[in-house]
């Protein structure tokens, strides 16, 4: 078992360089399955979700070659359409993108139901609605698999799909099944997150015809084939936001490099409100916190609203802000579990359904805690950095699904944090 040991209470000082975006990478890599040629993808984060995604692709016969630790060359021109392996699929959420990509390429796909962080019920009805509109018959088969097939063979056809909720996953999956379809697919009430735009840019750079990504309506005109090429993934908005929240909670000054400041505005605007000084530069953001934090309220919402994936990290900063803050989770039903763990460090919070009321305290004090999911784990690291004394975090594999070299990057900015391997208890 691996755990993180943090001796907190030291402000952070220095520069952090942000890696490629996890949620863009896990979609774009699967998008490479649609490419009839070699594509080279740069700025891939070294995280376990990416490794799993590439391992699944290898089971179809995709040829994967690491050119550098963050650049991978993929040749999926000769892949077979096989049932995707349950063991790998259940370990991550974005495994369901294989359904859209394989359906788009072969007119048929069978994949295991996805895993990932437990944040409440995570339905995929909108993905299925999209595939069905494109002519597929979709069934759940035995052993936890889901099968989509165009009856009589051939590729999906163009369709108009209205998403009842602006789902990131459904938008991406329907884009993947549509890019090689016969005719035009229109997604209405599409998600607008930066990684949706990044996937569209990737597909277009390979010869696809995707317009409107970043707005409510995305139009995908099917093309005969995608050719190879090179593409570089955008920086991770949430990784950058996590370091910004860390400097808010622990104090100090960080230059967060290799970011798109526009993507961070939904986060930096809130940080300024609670007393963090922010300076935007061309591809960097400088954040400084010297004084006290002040309370605020916030509600998570689809982009360009405040991201749900930043809710736990920002809420930890609010546990140290003067006054009472109200946090409303607008996307997931069950994303406050981590507050029980943070309370072990002395935080004061009460949760009622999708609302948490946080009463700021003067100080947090280190304690042993458990990461219950990816962003909750990041929030616990932030709490540990801000707390006096030692915090030990277990189940950090959740954190390593989505943050490249979290411990190393924090050590470089003065944090006392270690990654420790301890024998499993029997
Ligand atoms: N929804 C439906 N039906 C569907 C799909 C979604 O009702 O068919 C609902 C969900 O229940 C939820 C809302 O729509 O209430 C939004 O879900 P969405 O589909 O947008 O989420 P997702 O695609 O499963 C991605 C990220 C999550 C992030 C959400 C929201 C990936 C791999 N995951 O999930 O990221 O929280 O979008 O922005 O891109 C994380 O990185 O820690 C993470 C959990």
């Amino acid at each position: 078992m691996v755990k993180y040991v943090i001796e907190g209470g030291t402000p952070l000082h220095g520069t952090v360089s942000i890696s490629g975006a996890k949620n863009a990478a896990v979609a774009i890599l699967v998008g490479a399955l649609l490419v009839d040629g070699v594509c080279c993808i740069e700025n891939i984060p070294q995280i376990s979700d990416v490794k799993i995604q590439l391992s699944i692709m290898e089971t179809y016969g995709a040829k994967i070659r690491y050119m550098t630790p963050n650049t991978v060359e993929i040749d999926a021109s000769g892949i077979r359409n096989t049932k995707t392996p349950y063991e790998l699929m259940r370990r991550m959420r974005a495994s369901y993108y294989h359904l859209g990509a394989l359906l788009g390429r072969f007119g048929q796909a069978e994949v295991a139901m996805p895993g990932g962080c437990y944040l409440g019920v995570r339905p995929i009805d909108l993905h299925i609605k999209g595939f069905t509109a494109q002519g597929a018959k979709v069934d759940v088969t035995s052993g936890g698999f889901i099968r989509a097939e165009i009856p009589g063979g051939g590729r999906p056809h163009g369709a108009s799909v209205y998403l009842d909720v602006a789902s990131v996953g459904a938008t991406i999956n329907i884009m993947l099944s549509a890019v090689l379809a016969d005719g035009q697919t229109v997604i209405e009430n599409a998600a607008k997150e930066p990684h949706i735009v990044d996937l569209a840019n990737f597909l277009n750079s390979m010869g696809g015809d995707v317009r409107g990504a970043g707005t409510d309506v995305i139009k995908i005109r099917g093309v005969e084939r995608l050719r190879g090429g090179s593409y570089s993934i955008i920086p991770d908005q949430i990784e950058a936001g996590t370091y910004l929240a860390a400097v808010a909670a622990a104090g100090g000054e960080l230059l967060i490099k290799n970011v798109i400041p526009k993507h961070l505005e939904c986060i930096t605007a809130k940080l300024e409100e609670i007393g963090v000084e922010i300076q935007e530069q061309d591809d960097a953001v400088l954040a400084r916190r010297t004084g006290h934090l002040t309370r605020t309220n916030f509600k998570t919402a689809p982009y360009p609203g405040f991201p749900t994936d930043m809710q736990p990290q920002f809420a930890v900063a609010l546990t140290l802000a003067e006054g009472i803050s109200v946090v409303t989770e607008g996307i997931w039903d069950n994303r406050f579990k981590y507050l029980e763990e943070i309370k072990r460090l002395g935080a004061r919070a009460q949760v009622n359904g999708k609302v948490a009321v946080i009463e700021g305290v003067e100080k947090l004090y280190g304690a042993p805690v458990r990461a219950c999911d990816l962003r909750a784990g990041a929030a616990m690291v932030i709490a540990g950095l801000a707390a006096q004394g030692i915090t030990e975090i277990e189940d950090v594999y959740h954190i390593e699904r989505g943050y490249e070299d979290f411990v190393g990057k924090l050590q470089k900015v003065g944090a006392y944090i270690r990654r420790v391997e301890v024998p499993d208890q029997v």
Side-chain angles (χ1 to χ4, degrees):
M1 179 182 69
V2 176
K3 64 181 180 183
Y4 293 171
V5 180
I6 303 170
E7 196 180 332
T10 310
L12 306 173
H13 284 278
T15 301
V16 180
S17 185
I18 297 305
S19 304
K22 162 181 122 38
N23 288 345
V26 293
I28 287 173
L29 289 174
V30 181
L33 290 173
L34 293 159
V35 178
D36 184 16
V38 177
C39 60
C40 181
I41 305 176
E42 294 163 18
N43 205 28
I44 294 190
Q46 289 187 68
I47 53 175
S48 61
D49 269 12
V50 158
K51 289 188 192 123
I52 296 170
Q53 204 65 301
L54 290 170
S55 304
I56 298 172
M57 292 163 66
E58 276 179 323
T59 66
Y60 312 137
K63 296 193 186 104
I64 315 270
R65 196 151 68 104
Y66 269 97
M67 313 304 284
T68 73
N70 299 97
T71 304
V72 71
E73 198 181 73
I74 301 169
D75 181 357
S77 48
I79 61 170
R80 303 173 305 277
N81 184 20
T82 49
K83 198 164 161 176
T84 50
Y86 180 79
E87 251 323 293
L88 290 171
M89 297 293 272
R90 69 170 189 85
R91 284 167 54 193
M92 69 183 294
R93 190 75 197 160
S95 52
Y96 55 28
Y97 295 151
H98 293 262
L99 200 59
L102 295 177
L103 178 69
R105 178 144 175 195
F106 296 107
Q108 185 220 303
E110 188 163 9
V111 308
M113 293 291 260
C117 291
Y118 182 74
L119 309 170
V121 183
R122 298 186 73 169
I124 57 166
D125 55 308
L126 298 172
H127 305 231
I128 296 174
K129 180 178 173 182
F131 301 147
T132 308
Q134 291 174 318
K137 187 169 172 301
V138 186
D139 297 303
V140 176
T141 58
S142 61
F145 282 81
I146 177 156
R147 182 179 173 80
E149 182 175 16
I150 305 294
R155 287 180 176 177
H157 57 65
S160 188
V161 187
Y162 178 85
L163 299 182
D164 313 342
V165 184
S167 154
V168 170
T171 304
I172 288 177
N173 230 341
I174 299 167
M175 283 164 76
L176 292 171
S177 61
V179 75
L180 296 177
D182 283 332
Q184 175 169 274
T185 300
V186 180
I187 309 174
E188 291 190 68
N189 196 29
K192 299 191 280 257
E193 270 66 8
H195 34 292
I196 304 277
V197 179
D198 209 32
L199 174 65
N201 289 341
F202 164 76
L203 294 170
N204 287 342
S205 74
M206 299 290 141
D209 184 353
V210 182
R211 283 165 296 149
T215 75
D216 294 326
V217 182
I218 303 180
K219 294 184 177 165
I220 309 121
R221 200 182 292 276
V223 294
E224 204 43 49
R225 70 179 276 264
L226 297 182
R227 47 161 206 274
S230 289
Y231 191 76
S232 181
I233 290 175
I234 51 166
D236 197 310
Q237 175 206 29
I238 305 299
E239 188 198 10
T242 299
Y243 288 104
L244 289 168
V247 79
E253 180 175 310
L254 288 185
L255 180 69
I256 318 280
K257 267 196 344 189
N258 182 30
V259 296
I260 299 175
K262 176 99 197 124
H263 293 167
L264 298 177
E265 278 170 6
C266 41
I267 302 162
T268 50
K270 263 339 228 181
L271 285 165
E272 284 182 308
E273 221 178 284
I274 64 169
V276 180
E277 288 167 51
I278 299 284
Q279 255 177 48
E280 270 186 22
Q281 304 176 1
D282 284 350
D283 63 353
V285 169
L286 182 75
R288 183 185 306 121
R289 203 272 281 172
T290 45
H292 278 100
L293 294 173
T294 47
R295 58 155 302 280
T296 191
N297 299 337
F298 76 95
K299 177 174 181 179
T300 66
Y303 189 81
F306 190 93
T308 174
D309 293 345
M310 275 302 300
Q311 183 259 97
Q313 305 90 311
F314 197 84
V316 164
L318 294 181
T319 66
L320 291 160
E322 272 171 13
I324 293 182
S325 302
V326 180
V327 180
T328 308
E329 173 55 45
I331 308 290
W332 300 111
D333 291 336
N334 191 5
R335 206 168 199 173
F336 284 125
K337 267 183 308 186
Y338 70 90
L339 276 174
E340 283 309 311
E341 294 289 298
I342 307 285
K343 277 158 91 172
R344 297 159 67 93
L345 278 68
R348 288 202 198 125
Q350 273 199 338
V351 178
N352 186 359
K354 292 167 87 170
V355 179
V357 178
I358 296 172
E359 187 189 340
V361 293
E362 191 66 32
K363 281 195 166 89
L364 296 176
Y365 297 93
V369 288
R370 205 173 269 277
C372 41
D373 64 58
L374 167 60
R375 307 303 172 186
M380 278 162 212
V381 171
I382 293 173
L385 294 171
Q388 304 293 311
I390 308 273
T391 297
E392 293 195 1
I393 307 177
E394 287 187 11
D395 291 346
V396 297
Y397 64 90
H398 284 296
I399 303 175
E400 297 181 355
R401 284 186 36 223
Y403 287 88
E404 177 174 308
D405 193 21
F406 203 15
V407 169
K409 288 186 187 187
L410 284 169
Q411 284 171 342
K412 282 194 195 114
V413 293
Y416 295 103
I417 177 169
R418 284 177 301 130
R419 185 179 189 277
V420 183
E421 298 222 15
V422 283
D424 283 337
Q425 283 168 354
V426 277

